[in-house]
Amino acid sequence: MKNLHPAIRIRLLLQFISSISTMAILPYIIIYFAEEVGKAVTGVLFLCVMLASVLGSLLGGFTSDRVGRRKVILLAELFVFIGYIGAAVANTSVGAYPYITFLFFMIIQFSTGVVNPAYQALIIDVSSPEERKIIYTYAYWVRNLGIAIGSMVGAFFFFSHLVLLLLSAALVSFLSILMTKVFIKETYQPNVQRQKSSQTIQVYKEYLNILKHKFFIIFILASVLIVAVEEQLTNYIGIRLKEQLPNPIQIITAIPMEVDGVNLLGFLKAENTLLVVALTFVVITVIKKWKERVTFLVGLLLFFTGYTVLSFTTIPMLLIVAMFLASIGEMMYIPMQQALLANSVPDHARSTYMSLYGVAIFLGVSAAGVVVIVSEWVPPLVITGVIGLMGGVSFILFARLVSIEKKQEEANITNLKSVSR
């Protein structure tokens, strides 16, 4: 850890604190809006917030590659700070104003969308390809630990101390501004000539150029499918468990502990988070002698196998085992997936590429919602087949990318040997 660039260490610390503050709010804010304005209106508001995040990501990626990471981070975090302060004021003891709160959350999510590509590009700027696997392992673990702590804090305090949680999130944004201003120097100097010429170029043309990058587009498609499968836990799988297990049943015959479908879903989510927090570095240690490509593909196979099983069974122990397999697979593939992404983007457009990757994540979440809609008209076995098919296609695409990367590395080694001669 101490060998990493100081900016990375600061970013990991801020990511941990930010994960706690945001996860104490975001999972429960939907319930807040549903109670204040109704479910139907909440659905529309949620889509608006998601759209704001996507637009922010596209703008942030484009801008960060033209003015630098630091300026974008400072400005975006300032608006996140303002958003949380505004939301807190809108929910004081005088009364709650949900629509004003919504407007401030639009600002928060738009600004978060702007800043995320800059943060991702900053990490790539100051790291080498050899460091990225361990960096993303740390980031993955830190994020999940923050999610676990933040979710518990929100469960106990969201409805009784909402204003305090909002102010805490604002304080975290202020801390990010302060630490970025004092400790992080600009990691990317934009090309002045390119910056001037880009004034006459539409933003969409820049993203259109990315579509010509075959490797990256395949990566995006494969990643969309991963997200679409993973999101089924809180979409189709969650709904199915609630409908098929309305009454409590025993997890194990010998143990007098009963759960219904909703309880079981919460148990599976908690299992995933706790396994990641407790075993990430254990798993990395066990597999450190494996070839990275083998680790990556085995991890994907375990992940997709686990979620395919989760999509059809209602046997509690089988569900728990399936989540265990999926969680182990997740620990194996995610750091390498992120490293593969980081190594594939060109230096001059890192933020732009990362913003498009963020849009792909949104598409994956949306695809998961489509599966829920389709499940109203097709048998569960067909949905299981669809989930398995998405996993299979994603696996094949990533296997193709791994093969391309291996050939590229071999070609680079051959070229180096030729030059040395």
Side-chain angles (χ1 to χ4, degrees):
M1 188 73 168
K2 63 183 180 182
N3 294 328
L4 299 177
H5 192 282
I8 294 176
R9 297 201 300 269
I10 292 171
R11 178 60 200 140
L12 289 173
L13 173 62
L14 293 175
Q15 182 182 12
F16 173 62
I17 301 172
S18 177
S19 295
I20 294 175
S21 64
T22 55
M23 291 307 295
I25 297 171
L26 294 185
Y28 307 97
I29 200 68
I30 295 294
I31 302 173
Y32 163 90
F33 282 117
E35 290 181 348
E36 295 290 339
V37 300
K39 293 180 181 179
V41 176
T42 297
V44 176
L45 299 184
F46 176 75
L47 290 176
C48 291
V49 168
M50 292 293 287
L51 181 60
S53 181
V54 170
L55 293 176
S57 180
L58 292 173
L59 178 62
F62 182 83
T63 305
S64 177
D65 285 331
R66 275 144 188 82
V67 303
R69 323 301 186 205
R70 195 165 176 268
K71 292 178 181 177
V72 171
I73 290 171
L74 291 173
L75 185 60
E77 287 286 6
L78 175 61
F79 277 98
V80 172
F81 171 76
I82 293 171
Y84 277 120
I85 291 293
V89 171
N91 289 274
T92 57
S93 57
V94 177
Y97 297 90
Y99 289 108
I100 297 177
T101 302
F102 160 71
L103 291 176
F104 281 114
F105 266 92
M106 285 279 286
I107 294 173
I108 291 168
Q109 290 305 107
F110 178 82
S111 302
T112 301
V114 169
V115 80
N116 280 338
Y119 275 135
Q120 292 172 321
L122 182 146
I123 290 176
I124 302 173
D125 290 341
V126 296
S127 64
S128 66
E130 294 75 23
E131 292 177 319
R132 286 169 189 158
K133 176 185 169 185
I134 190 63
I135 290 170
Y136 288 120
T137 300
Y138 278 125
Y140 171 65
W141 184 79
V142 161
R143 184 176 67 253
N144 277 276
L145 181 60
I147 289 172
I149 296 172
S151 297
M152 287 189 290
V153 171
F156 285 100
F157 298 110
F158 181 86
F159 293 101
S160 58
H161 296 84
L162 174 59
V163 173
L164 183 59
L165 291 180
L166 291 169
L167 291 175
S168 298
L171 180 62
V172 170
S173 293
F174 181 77
L175 181 63
S176 296
I177 294 170
L178 186 63
M179 295 191 73
T180 301
K181 184 74 174 178
V182 175
F183 297 111
I184 297 181
K185 297 180 180 180
E186 181 57 67
T187 61
Y188 177 71
Q189 297 299 331
N191 184 288
V192 177
Q193 185 63 38
R194 184 170 180 268
Q195 190 174 9
K196 288 180 179 179
S197 64
S198 67
Q199 294 175 2
T200 59
I201 300 174
Q202 297 287 343
V203 175
Y204 77 90
K205 289 186 178 180
E206 186 70 21
Y207 286 101
L208 194 62
N209 289 332
I210 298 178
L211 298 180
K212 300 175 184 178
H213 188 163
K214 183 178 178 182
F215 187 97
F216 183 74
I217 296 305
I218 294 174
F219 182 93
I220 287 290
L221 292 174
S223 298
V224 166
L225 293 173
I226 283 184
V227 175
V229 170
E230 184 176 22
E231 287 295 315
Q232 297 308 323
L233 184 63
T234 51
N235 284 273
Y236 170 72
I237 294 171
I239 294 171
R240 183 182 64 83
L241 289 176
K242 181 180 179 181
E243 292 177 347
Q244 296 184 6
L245 295 175
N247 300 314
I249 60 173
Q250 284 185 281
I251 294 181
I252 305 175
T253 306
I255 300 177
M257 180 180 176
E258 295 185 339
V259 292
D260 59 19
V262 175
N263 299 147
L264 196 51
L265 175 63
F267 187 92
L268 293 173
K269 292 174 67 177
E271 177 191 2
N272 174 253
T273 303
L274 292 174
L275 285 173
V276 169
V277 171
L279 297 182
T280 293
F281 293 105
V282 175
V283 171
I284 295 300
T285 301
V286 170
I287 64 175
K288 65 180 180 180
K289 293 184 179 180
W290 293 18
K291 291 182 178 179
E292 289 191 356
R293 295 174 179 84
V294 172
T295 301
F296 182 45
L297 295 177
V298 170
L300 285 172
L301 185 61
L302 289 175
F303 176 81
F304 289 129
T305 299
Y307 270 90
T308 302
V309 174
L310 286 168
S311 71
F312 70 82
T313 187
T314 56
I315 302 172
M317 277 308 301
L318 189 54
L319 287 166
I320 292 169
V321 171
M323 179 52 75
F324 178 82
L325 292 177
S327 300
I328 296 297
E330 188 178 312
M331 295 176 220
M332 293 170 68
Y333 87 76
I334 281 185
M336 296 181 187
Q337 179 201 17
Q338 294 300 308
L340 187 66
L341 169 63
N343 296 338
S344 69
V345 302
D347 295 348
H348 68 275
R350 284 171 176 163
S351 284
T352 309
Y353 273 72
M354 288 302 178
S355 65
L356 200 58
Y357 175 69
V359 174
I361 301 303
F362 171 76
L363 292 176
V365 174
S366 302
V370 172
V371 171
V372 173
I373 296 172
V374 173
S375 67
E376 289 288 326
W377 295 283
V378 300
L381 189 60
V382 174
I383 298 298
T384 295
V386 170
I387 293 173
L389 179 63
M390 289 192 295
V393 172
S394 180
F395 181 88
I396 292 170
L397 292 176
F398 273 121
R400 173 61 178 162
L401 293 181
V402 165
S403 176
I404 293 173
E405 186 187 45
K406 182 179 179 181
K407 290 178 181 178
Q408 184 62 48
E409 288 179 359
E410 291 173 349
N412 292 338
I413 293 172
T414 302
N415 292 334
L416 287 173
K417 288 181 178 178
S418 300
V419 171
S420 63
R421 288 173 185 172

